[in-house]
mmCIF file of all heavy atoms in Angstrom:
data_model
loop_
_atom_site.group_PDB
_atom_site.id
_atom_site.type_symbol
_atom_site.label_atom_id
_atom_site.label_comp_id
_atom_site.label_asym_id
_atom_site.label_seq_id
_atom_site.Cartn_x
_atom_site.Cartn_y
_atom_site.Cartn_z
ATOM 1 N N LEU A 1 33.889 -17.917 -4.319
ATOM 2 C CA LEU A 1 33.085 -18.699 -3.382
ATOM 3 C C LEU A 1 31.923 -17.861 -2.844
ATOM 4 O O LEU A 1 30.786 -18.340 -2.723
ATOM 5 C CB LEU A 1 33.954 -19.208 -2.236
ATOM 6 C CG LEU A 1 33.243 -20.044 -1.175
ATOM 7 C CD1 LEU A 1 32.657 -21.308 -1.794
ATOM 8 C CD2 LEU A 1 34.200 -20.392 -0.046
ATOM 9 N N GLU A 2 32.197 -16.615 -2.537
ATOM 10 C CA GLU A 2 31.141 -15.716 -2.047
ATOM 11 C C GLU A 2 30.059 -15.520 -3.107
ATOM 12 O O GLU A 2 28.867 -15.579 -2.808
ATOM 13 C CB GLU A 2 31.758 -14.371 -1.652
ATOM 14 C CG GLU A 2 30.849 -13.519 -0.816
ATOM 15 C CD GLU A 2 31.565 -12.289 -0.294
ATOM 16 O OE1 GLU A 2 32.664 -12.421 0.288
ATOM 17 O OE2 GLU A 2 31.002 -11.188 -0.486
ATOM 18 N N ASP A 3 30.459 -15.332 -4.362
ATOM 19 C CA ASP A 3 29.500 -15.178 -5.465
ATOM 20 C C ASP A 3 28.667 -16.439 -5.649
ATOM 21 O O ASP A 3 27.455 -16.375 -5.864
ATOM 22 C CB ASP A 3 30.215 -14.838 -6.767
ATOM 23 C CG ASP A 3 30.861 -13.456 -6.745
ATOM 24 O OD1 ASP A 3 30.498 -12.640 -5.860
ATOM 25 O OD2 ASP A 3 31.731 -13.205 -7.596
ATOM 26 N N ALA A 4 29.315 -17.608 -5.549
ATOM 27 C CA ALA A 4 28.600 -18.877 -5.705
ATOM 28 C C ALA A 4 27.595 -19.070 -4.575
ATOM 29 O O ALA A 4 26.483 -19.556 -4.805
ATOM 30 C CB ALA A 4 29.592 -20.030 -5.738
ATOM 31 N N ALA A 5 27.970 -18.696 -3.370
ATOM 32 C CA ALA A 5 27.051 -18.823 -2.230
ATOM 33 C C ALA A 5 25.837 -17.927 -2.421
ATOM 34 O O ALA A 5 24.696 -18.332 -2.163
ATOM 35 C CB ALA A 5 27.777 -18.475 -0.933
ATOM 36 N N ARG A 6 26.049 -16.699 -2.883
ATOM 37 C CA ARG A 6 24.918 -15.792 -3.130
ATOM 38 C C ARG A 6 24.006 -16.342 -4.232
ATOM 39 O O ARG A 6 22.787 -16.275 -4.129
ATOM 40 C CB ARG A 6 25.419 -14.407 -3.501
ATOM 41 C CG ARG A 6 26.033 -13.659 -2.353
ATOM 42 C CD ARG A 6 26.419 -12.235 -2.750
ATOM 43 N NE ARG A 6 27.338 -11.644 -1.831
ATOM 44 C CZ ARG A 6 27.028 -11.188 -0.624
ATOM 45 N NH1 ARG A 6 25.799 -11.273 -0.205
ATOM 46 N NH2 ARG A 6 27.944 -10.662 0.152
ATOM 47 N N ALA A 7 24.594 -16.882 -5.287
ATOM 48 C CA ALA A 7 23.799 -17.446 -6.373
ATOM 49 C C ALA A 7 23.005 -18.650 -5.890
ATOM 50 O O ALA A 7 21.840 -18.824 -6.248
ATOM 51 C CB ALA A 7 24.708 -17.832 -7.541
ATOM 52 N N ALA A 8 23.611 -19.499 -5.069
ATOM 53 C CA ALA A 8 22.908 -20.667 -4.541
ATOM 54 C C ALA A 8 21.751 -20.241 -3.643
ATOM 55 O O ALA A 8 20.699 -20.875 -3.637
ATOM 56 C CB ALA A 8 23.880 -21.554 -3.770
ATOM 57 N N TYR A 9 21.934 -19.173 -2.897
ATOM 58 C CA TYR A 9 20.884 -18.685 -1.996
ATOM 59 C C TYR A 9 19.634 -18.273 -2.775
ATOM 60 O O TYR A 9 18.518 -18.455 -2.305
ATOM 61 C CB TYR A 9 21.422 -17.511 -1.168
ATOM 62 C CG TYR A 9 20.431 -16.993 -0.149
ATOM 63 C CD1 TYR A 9 20.100 -17.759 0.965
ATOM 64 C CD2 TYR A 9 19.842 -15.756 -0.308
ATOM 65 C CE1 TYR A 9 19.193 -17.297 1.899
ATOM 66 C CE2 TYR A 9 18.930 -15.287 0.626
ATOM 67 C CZ TYR A 9 18.616 -16.051 1.730
ATOM 68 O OH TYR A 9 17.709 -15.582 2.651
ATOM 69 N N THR A 10 19.792 -17.765 -3.974
ATOM 70 C CA THR A 10 18.627 -17.347 -4.763
ATOM 71 C C THR A 10 17.771 -18.542 -5.176
ATOM 72 O O THR A 10 16.596 -18.378 -5.487
ATOM 73 C CB THR A 10 19.035 -16.569 -6.023
ATOM 74 O OG1 THR A 10 19.801 -17.417 -6.866
ATOM 75 C CG2 THR A 10 19.819 -15.316 -5.673
ATOM 76 N N TRP A 11 18.333 -19.746 -5.159
ATOM 77 C CA TRP A 11 17.574 -20.948 -5.533
ATOM 78 C C TRP A 11 16.592 -21.373 -4.453
ATOM 79 O O TRP A 11 15.777 -22.275 -4.665
ATOM 80 C CB TRP A 11 18.532 -22.100 -5.841
ATOM 81 C CG TRP A 11 19.058 -22.010 -7.224
ATOM 82 C CD1 TRP A 11 20.176 -21.353 -7.628
ATOM 83 C CD2 TRP A 11 18.475 -22.559 -8.397
ATOM 84 N NE1 TRP A 11 20.337 -21.459 -8.988
ATOM 85 C CE2 TRP A 11 19.289 -22.209 -9.482
ATOM 86 C CE3 TRP A 11 17.338 -23.322 -8.641
ATOM 87 C CZ2 TRP A 11 19.012 -22.588 -10.769
ATOM 88 C CZ3 TRP A 11 17.059 -23.703 -9.933
ATOM 89 C CH2 TRP A 11 17.889 -23.333 -10.975
ATOM 90 N N ARG A 12 16.604 -20.740 -3.277
ATOM 91 C CA ARG A 12 15.707 -21.143 -2.204
ATOM 92 C C ARG A 12 14.241 -20.955 -2.577
ATOM 93 O O ARG A 12 13.367 -21.592 -2.017
ATOM 94 C CB ARG A 12 16.043 -20.383 -0.922
ATOM 95 C CG ARG A 12 15.574 -18.949 -0.932
ATOM 96 C CD ARG A 12 16.147 -18.142 0.216
ATOM 97 N NE ARG A 12 15.561 -16.840 0.310
ATOM 98 C CZ ARG A 12 15.754 -15.839 -0.530
ATOM 99 N NH1 ARG A 12 16.525 -16.013 -1.587
ATOM 100 N NH2 ARG A 12 15.171 -14.680 -0.364
ATOM 101 N N THR A 13 13.957 -20.094 -3.551
ATOM 102 C CA THR A 13 12.574 -19.840 -3.960
ATOM 103 C C THR A 13 12.330 -20.265 -5.403
ATOM 104 O O THR A 13 11.452 -19.729 -6.063
ATOM 105 C CB THR A 13 12.241 -18.340 -3.802
ATOM 106 O OG1 THR A 13 13.170 -17.583 -4.573
ATOM 107 C CG2 THR A 13 12.296 -17.904 -2.360
ATOM 108 N N VAL A 14 13.069 -21.276 -5.866
ATOM 109 C CA VAL A 14 12.936 -21.695 -7.255
ATOM 110 C C VAL A 14 11.547 -22.266 -7.535
ATOM 111 O O VAL A 14 11.065 -22.222 -8.659
ATOM 112 C CB VAL A 14 14.051 -22.691 -7.644
ATOM 113 C CG1 VAL A 14 13.821 -24.042 -7.015
ATOM 114 C CG2 VAL A 14 14.158 -22.800 -9.147
ATOM 115 N N ASP A 15 10.873 -22.781 -6.502
ATOM 116 C CA ASP A 15 9.555 -23.367 -6.698
ATOM 117 C C ASP A 15 8.423 -22.353 -6.529
ATOM 118 O O ASP A 15 7.258 -22.716 -6.508
ATOM 119 C CB ASP A 15 9.341 -24.536 -5.743
ATOM 120 C CG ASP A 15 9.471 -24.138 -4.288
ATOM 121 O OD1 ASP A 15 9.981 -23.048 -4.016
ATOM 122 O OD2 ASP A 15 9.070 -24.933 -3.419
ATOM 123 N N VAL A 16 8.744 -21.087 -6.451
ATOM 124 C CA VAL A 16 7.729 -20.054 -6.320
ATOM 125 C C VAL A 16 7.020 -19.858 -7.658
ATOM 126 O O VAL A 16 7.644 -19.783 -8.706
ATOM 127 C CB VAL A 16 8.376 -18.717 -5.865
ATOM 128 C CG1 VAL A 16 7.395 -17.564 -5.968
ATOM 129 C CG2 VAL A 16 8.893 -18.836 -4.459
ATOM 130 N N GLU A 17 5.713 -19.796 -7.589
ATOM 131 C CA GLU A 17 4.906 -19.537 -8.776
ATOM 132 C C GLU A 17 4.956 -18.029 -9.054
ATOM 133 O O GLU A 17 4.767 -17.227 -8.145
ATOM 134 C CB GLU A 17 3.471 -19.973 -8.470
ATOM 135 C CG GLU A 17 2.544 -19.949 -9.626
ATOM 136 C CD GLU A 17 1.186 -20.511 -9.202
ATOM 137 O OE1 GLU A 17 1.136 -21.579 -8.585
ATOM 138 O OE2 GLU A 17 0.195 -19.830 -9.496
ATOM 139 N N LEU A 18 5.231 -17.650 -10.271
ATOM 140 C CA LEU A 18 5.357 -16.239 -10.611
ATOM 141 C C LEU A 18 4.047 -15.708 -11.175
ATOM 142 O O LEU A 18 3.494 -16.266 -12.124
ATOM 143 C CB LEU A 18 6.479 -16.041 -11.629
ATOM 144 C CG LEU A 18 6.982 -14.625 -11.821
ATOM 145 C CD1 LEU A 18 7.516 -14.047 -10.511
ATOM 146 C CD2 LEU A 18 8.068 -14.588 -12.869
ATOM 147 N N ALA A 19 3.530 -14.658 -10.544
ATOM 148 C CA ALA A 19 2.303 -14.023 -11.019
ATOM 149 C C ALA A 19 2.664 -13.049 -12.140
ATOM 150 O O ALA A 19 3.684 -12.365 -12.086
ATOM 151 C CB ALA A 19 1.610 -13.284 -9.877
ATOM 152 N N GLU A 20 1.821 -12.976 -13.139
ATOM 153 C CA GLU A 20 2.072 -12.146 -14.316
ATOM 154 C C GLU A 20 1.383 -10.786 -14.173
ATOM 155 O O GLU A 20 0.233 -10.705 -13.734
ATOM 156 C CB GLU A 20 1.524 -12.866 -15.546
ATOM 157 C CG GLU A 20 1.773 -12.146 -16.843
ATOM 158 C CD GLU A 20 1.177 -12.903 -18.027
ATOM 159 O OE1 GLU A 20 0.759 -14.051 -17.872
ATOM 160 O OE2 GLU A 20 1.149 -12.302 -19.118
ATOM 161 N N LEU A 21 2.091 -9.719 -14.567
ATOM 162 C CA LEU A 21 1.496 -8.385 -14.550
ATOM 163 C C LEU A 21 0.406 -8.314 -15.613
ATOM 164 O O LEU A 21 0.657 -8.551 -16.790
ATOM 165 C CB LEU A 21 2.561 -7.318 -14.823
ATOM 166 C CG LEU A 21 2.050 -5.872 -14.921
ATOM 167 C CD1 LEU A 21 1.478 -5.402 -13.587
ATOM 168 C CD2 LEU A 21 3.175 -4.945 -15.364
ATOM 169 N N MET A 22 -0.798 -7.993 -15.188
ATOM 170 C CA MET A 22 -1.929 -7.903 -16.108
ATOM 171 C C MET A 22 -2.295 -6.450 -16.411
ATOM 172 O O MET A 22 -2.768 -6.147 -17.494
ATOM 173 C CB MET A 22 -3.157 -8.613 -15.519
ATOM 174 C CG MET A 22 -2.913 -10.087 -15.207
ATOM 175 S SD MET A 22 -2.303 -11.041 -16.594
ATOM 176 C CE MET A 22 -3.743 -11.127 -17.604
ATOM 177 N N ARG A 23 -2.070 -5.567 -15.424
ATOM 178 C CA ARG A 23 -2.468 -4.172 -15.597
ATOM 179 C C ARG A 23 -1.615 -3.273 -14.734
ATOM 180 O O ARG A 23 -1.335 -3.588 -13.591
ATOM 181 C CB ARG A 23 -3.934 -4.025 -15.198
ATOM 182 C CG ARG A 23 -4.508 -2.637 -15.352
ATOM 183 C CD ARG A 23 -6.011 -2.703 -15.094
ATOM 184 N NE ARG A 23 -6.694 -1.668 -14.417
ATOM 185 C CZ ARG A 23 -6.333 -0.900 -13.412
ATOM 186 N NH1 ARG A 23 -5.166 -1.016 -12.888
ATOM 187 N NH2 ARG A 23 -7.109 0.001 -12.891
ATOM 188 N N ASP A 24 -1.180 -2.148 -15.315
ATOM 189 C CA ASP A 24 -0.437 -1.116 -14.592
ATOM 190 C C ASP A 24 -1.037 0.216 -14.997
ATOM 191 O O ASP A 24 -0.923 0.631 -16.154
ATOM 192 C CB ASP A 24 1.054 -1.194 -14.936
ATOM 193 C CG ASP A 24 1.897 -0.177 -14.172
ATOM 194 O OD1 ASP A 24 1.335 0.755 -13.557
ATOM 195 O OD2 ASP A 24 3.131 -0.320 -14.198
ATOM 196 N N SER A 25 -1.685 0.891 -14.066
ATOM 197 C CA SER A 25 -2.370 2.144 -14.393
ATOM 198 C C SER A 25 -1.408 3.207 -14.899
ATOM 199 O O SER A 25 -1.785 4.042 -15.730
ATOM 200 C CB SER A 25 -3.152 2.665 -13.187
ATOM 201 O OG SER A 25 -2.274 2.987 -12.117
ATOM 202 N N ALA A 26 -0.146 3.193 -14.465
ATOM 203 C CA ALA A 26 0.824 4.181 -14.939
ATOM 204 C C ALA A 26 1.088 4.001 -16.432
ATOM 205 O O ALA A 26 1.173 4.977 -17.180
ATOM 206 C CB ALA A 26 2.123 4.078 -14.148
ATOM 207 N N GLU A 27 1.199 2.758 -16.890
ATOM 208 C CA GLU A 27 1.414 2.491 -18.315
ATOM 209 C C GLU A 27 0.184 2.860 -19.128
ATOM 210 O O GLU A 27 0.296 3.384 -20.229
ATOM 211 C CB GLU A 27 1.763 1.021 -18.533
ATOM 212 C CG GLU A 27 3.136 0.645 -18.046
ATOM 213 C CD GLU A 27 3.430 -0.835 -18.236
ATOM 214 O OE1 GLU A 27 2.603 -1.557 -18.819
ATOM 215 O OE2 GLU A 27 4.504 -1.267 -17.778
ATOM 216 N N GLN A 28 -0.992 2.589 -18.593
ATOM 217 C CA GLN A 28 -2.223 2.911 -19.303
ATOM 218 C C GLN A 28 -2.386 4.424 -19.468
ATOM 219 O O GLN A 28 -2.797 4.901 -20.518
ATOM 220 C CB GLN A 28 -3.439 2.329 -18.583
ATOM 221 C CG GLN A 28 -3.500 0.822 -18.681
ATOM 222 C CD GLN A 28 -4.641 0.232 -17.875
ATOM 223 O OE1 GLN A 28 -5.098 0.806 -16.895
ATOM 224 N NE2 GLN A 28 -5.102 -0.934 -18.302
ATOM 225 N N GLN A 29 -2.045 5.186 -18.432
ATOM 226 C CA GLN A 29 -2.135 6.644 -18.526
ATOM 227 C C GLN A 29 -1.137 7.170 -19.547
ATOM 228 O O GLN A 29 -1.444 8.061 -20.321
ATOM 229 C CB GLN A 29 -1.870 7.286 -17.159
ATOM 230 C CG GLN A 29 -3.003 7.110 -16.185
ATOM 231 C CD GLN A 29 -2.674 7.705 -14.826
ATOM 232 O OE1 GLN A 29 -1.536 8.057 -14.541
ATOM 233 N NE2 GLN A 29 -3.680 7.805 -13.984
ATOM 234 N N GLU A 30 0.065 6.598 -19.545
ATOM 235 C CA GLU A 30 1.096 7.034 -20.491
ATOM 236 C C GLU A 30 0.659 6.754 -21.924
ATOM 237 O O GLU A 30 0.807 7.597 -22.814
ATOM 238 C CB GLU A 30 2.403 6.304 -20.172
ATOM 239 C CG GLU A 30 3.585 6.800 -20.955
ATOM 240 C CD GLU A 30 4.856 6.126 -20.493
ATOM 241 O OE1 GLU A 30 5.143 6.146 -19.284
ATOM 242 O OE2 GLU A 30 5.561 5.568 -21.359
ATOM 243 N N GLU A 31 0.099 5.573 -22.163
ATOM 244 C CA GLU A 31 -0.359 5.203 -23.502
ATOM 245 C C GLU A 31 -1.498 6.110 -23.975
ATOM 246 O O GLU A 31 -1.618 6.417 -25.150
ATOM 247 C CB GLU A 31 -0.820 3.743 -23.524
ATOM 248 C CG GLU A 31 0.311 2.767 -23.421
ATOM 249 C CD GLU A 31 -0.158 1.336 -23.229
ATOM 250 O OE1 GLU A 31 -1.383 1.092 -23.256
ATOM 251 O OE2 GLU A 31 0.707 0.466 -23.045
ATOM 252 N N ALA A 32 -2.327 6.531 -23.037
ATOM 253 C CA ALA A 32 -3.465 7.378 -23.389
ATOM 254 C C ALA A 32 -3.070 8.856 -23.478
ATOM 255 O O ALA A 32 -3.896 9.702 -23.798
ATOM 256 C CB ALA A 32 -4.590 7.207 -22.370
ATOM 257 N N GLY A 33 -1.812 9.167 -23.177
ATOM 258 C CA GLY A 33 -1.354 10.549 -23.224
ATOM 259 C C GLY A 33 -1.899 11.395 -22.095
ATOM 260 O O GLY A 33 -2.037 12.604 -22.215
ATOM 261 N N LEU A 34 -2.190 10.774 -20.957
ATOM 262 C CA LEU A 34 -2.791 11.487 -19.844
ATOM 263 C C LEU A 34 -1.787 12.010 -18.837
ATOM 264 O O LEU A 34 -2.177 12.591 -17.837
ATOM 265 C CB LEU A 34 -3.793 10.573 -19.115
ATOM 266 C CG LEU A 34 -4.973 10.108 -19.945
ATOM 267 C CD1 LEU A 34 -5.832 9.154 -19.140
ATOM 268 C CD2 LEU A 34 -5.800 11.293 -20.413
ATOM 269 N N LEU A 35 -0.500 11.800 -19.083
ATOM 270 C CA LEU A 35 0.489 12.280 -18.126
ATOM 271 C C LEU A 35 0.661 13.789 -18.257
ATOM 272 O O LEU A 35 0.976 14.304 -19.311
ATOM 273 C CB LEU A 35 1.833 11.585 -18.333
ATOM 274 C CG LEU A 35 1.850 10.102 -18.000
ATOM 275 C CD1 LEU A 35 3.259 9.547 -18.198
ATOM 276 C CD2 LEU A 35 1.417 9.861 -16.576
ATOM 277 N N VAL A 36 0.409 14.458 -17.184
ATOM 278 C CA VAL A 36 0.574 15.905 -17.120
ATOM 279 C C VAL A 36 1.350 16.229 -15.862
ATOM 280 O O VAL A 36 1.524 15.394 -14.994
ATOM 281 C CB VAL A 36 -0.795 16.637 -17.105
ATOM 282 C CG1 VAL A 36 -1.516 16.423 -18.415
ATOM 283 C CG2 VAL A 36 -1.643 16.187 -15.950
ATOM 284 N N ARG A 37 1.792 17.449 -15.747
ATOM 285 C CA ARG A 37 2.505 17.832 -14.536
ATOM 286 C C ARG A 37 1.562 17.826 -13.352
ATOM 287 O O ARG A 37 0.376 18.039 -13.477
ATOM 288 C CB ARG A 37 3.099 19.233 -14.688
ATOM 289 C CG ARG A 37 4.242 19.265 -15.638
ATOM 290 C CD ARG A 37 4.868 20.614 -15.613
ATOM 291 N NE ARG A 37 5.837 20.692 -16.689
ATOM 292 C CZ ARG A 37 6.691 21.663 -16.816
ATOM 293 N NH1 ARG A 37 6.676 22.660 -15.969
ATOM 294 N NH2 ARG A 37 7.553 21.657 -17.796
ATOM 295 N N GLY A 38 2.158 17.605 -12.179
ATOM 296 C CA GLY A 38 1.349 17.630 -10.971
ATOM 297 C C GLY A 38 1.161 16.238 -10.407
ATOM 298 O O GLY A 38 1.630 15.244 -10.938
ATOM 299 N N ALA A 39 0.428 16.191 -9.314
ATOM 300 C CA ALA A 39 0.227 14.935 -8.604
ATOM 301 C C ALA A 39 -0.713 14.004 -9.367
ATOM 302 O O ALA A 39 -1.640 14.441 -10.025
ATOM 303 C CB ALA A 39 -0.331 15.222 -7.217
ATOM 304 N N HIS A 40 -0.423 12.747 -9.274
ATOM 305 C CA HIS A 40 -1.261 11.723 -9.866
ATOM 306 C C HIS A 40 -1.894 10.924 -8.734
ATOM 307 O O HIS A 40 -1.395 10.898 -7.621
ATOM 308 C CB HIS A 40 -0.438 10.791 -10.757
ATOM 309 C CG HIS A 40 0.274 11.504 -11.862
ATOM 310 N ND1 HIS A 40 -0.379 12.003 -12.952
ATOM 311 C CD2 HIS A 40 1.580 11.813 -12.026
ATOM 312 C CE1 HIS A 40 0.494 12.587 -13.757
ATOM 313 N NE2 HIS A 40 1.690 12.486 -13.212
#
């Protein structure tokens, strides 16, 4: 019953529009081989 209640609670935002990831600078740096030690 507790599991079912938690699952039902997640449906409160079923009508939310989901935005799609278009760009992530961390992935772009990794693809370009720019990851080095130190602060980014």
Side-chain angles (χ1 to χ4, degrees):
L1 180 61
E2 195 172 309
D3 293 343
R6 289 185 197 285
Y9 183 70
T10 63
W11 278 89
R12 76 191 188 289
T13 57
V14 73
D15 59 346
V16 169
E17 188 176 311
L18 195 59
E20 183 181 349
L21 176 65
M22 302 305 288
R23 181 172 143 324
D24 182 347
S25 64
E27 289 178 4
Q28 290 175 334
Q29 287 177 348
E30 188 175 307
E31 288 171 4
L34 298 177
L35 292 182
V36 294
R37 289 187 189 191
H40 302 287

